[in-house]
């Protein structure tokens, strides 16, 4: 009888997440199957399930890495005045996500297995929104900056979502970048006029 294969589980975890990311980038969430992932890593699907529990957990770990990269991109933006910083953020977000279109789909379009996402997941999103709210509060201290950050994110994200699936041209002849800049301009104009 063959002896069970031994793994360095820390290395295996890294390999599985890397392979899952590649599958997502090439085919979106639908491409992340147990069969494809086990083939890419060279282990049985049982080994992957033993390490992660399920594919949803694998997807969450890929998303954790993507959120970390997004945070690094945001922190690398030039420390500028609020308005130029918001424009740079919008452009950076569009470029970041469209260059990772399949991985991006895993962030927001992957299967929702439970009603509640892990605390770290929601805290990360909340932190990103708070970072957008900061310059909005500088522009208009009396506004509900966090609510405006949510609105701005959804506006920019909508253009990215359509562009990522090749459907933006059904709604607009403008690029996701142009629409993102317009969303920032509209938000700045609206909160600047507020009493």
């Amino acid at each position: 009888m063959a002896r069970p294969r031994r793994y360095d589980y820390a290395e295996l975890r890294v390999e599985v997440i890397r392979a899952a990311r590649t599958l997502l980038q090439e085919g979106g969430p639908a491409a992340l199957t147990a069969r494809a992932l086990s083939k890419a890593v060279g282990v049985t699907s049982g080994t992957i399930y033993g390490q992660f529990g399920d594919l949803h957990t694998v997807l969450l770990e890929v998303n954790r890495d993507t959120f970390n990269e997004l945070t690094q991109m945001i922190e690398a933006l030039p420390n500028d005045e609020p308005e130029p910083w918001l424009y740079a953020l919008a452009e950076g977000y569009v470029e970041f996500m469209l260059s990772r279109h399949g991985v991006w789909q895993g962030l927001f379009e992957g299967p929702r297995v439970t009603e509640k996402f892990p605390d770290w997941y929601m805290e990360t999103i909340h932190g990103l929104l708070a970072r957008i709210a900061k310059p909005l509060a500088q522009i208009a201290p009396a506004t509900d900056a966090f609510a405006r950050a949510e609105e701005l994110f959804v506006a920019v994200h909508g253009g990215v979502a359509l562009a990522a699936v090749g459907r933006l041209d059904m709604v607009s002849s403008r690029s996701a970048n142009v629409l993102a800049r317009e969303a920032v301009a509209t938000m700045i104009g609206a909160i600047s006029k507020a009493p």
Side-chain angles (χ1 to χ4, degrees):
M1 180 180 221
R3 298 175 84 180
R5 203 167 142 196
R6 294 180 184 242
Y7 298 100
D8 178 324
Y9 284 100
E11 286 180 18
L12 177 62
R13 189 171 189 82
V14 170
E15 286 181 43
V16 169
I17 293 168
R18 184 181 305 126
R21 185 181 185 88
T22 300
L23 289 168
L24 282 166
Q25 182 61 14
E26 293 172 354
L32 184 57
T33 65
R35 170 178 264 171
L37 190 54
S38 60
K39 182 178 178 185
V41 179
V43 299
T44 66
S45 56
T47 301
I48 293 170
Y49 286 128
Q51 179 76 352
F52 289 90
D54 55 31
L55 287 179
H56 179 68
T57 303
V58 174
L59 177 59
L60 288 178
E61 290 303 317
V62 174
N63 291 347
R64 186 194 303 263
D65 287 351
T66 304
F67 278 133
N68 288 338
E69 289 176 7
L70 180 59
T71 300
Q72 290 169 9
M73 182 277 290
I74 291 170
E75 295 307 319
L77 292 173
N79 192 8
D80 213 333
E81 294 297 312
E83 289 186 28
W85 189 89
L86 285 166
Y87 284 114
L89 173 62
E91 290 174 0
Y93 182 79
V94 171
E95 180 183 330
F96 181 91
M97 289 305 183
L98 291 183
S99 68
R100 296 162 176 80
H101 65 281
V103 174
W104 170 87
Q105 289 176 307
L107 280 177
F108 295 101
E109 295 183 9
R112 187 167 187 158
V113 175
T114 64
E115 287 301 310
K116 188 173 183 320
F117 284 90
D119 289 343
W120 69 263
Y121 204 89
M122 299 310 297
E123 287 166 9
T124 301
I125 292 172
H126 187 273
L128 293 171
L129 290 171
R131 188 63 185 92
I132 298 167
K134 185 178 176 184
L136 294 173
Q138 291 173 296
I139 295 167
T143 193
D144 181 346
F146 196 85
R148 301 299 78 80
E150 291 173 341
E151 294 159 5
L152 183 56
F153 176 80
V154 169
V156 172
H157 184 79
V160 173
L162 289 169
V165 295
R167 298 292 187 268
L168 183 57
D169 62 332
M170 295 172 68
V171 177
S172 177
S173 60
R174 292 175 288 173
S175 70
N177 251 324
V178 169
L179 291 170
R181 289 188 63 81
E182 287 298 322
V184 171
T186 300
M187 179 60 71
I188 290 171
I191 64 175
S192 296
K193 293 174 188 169

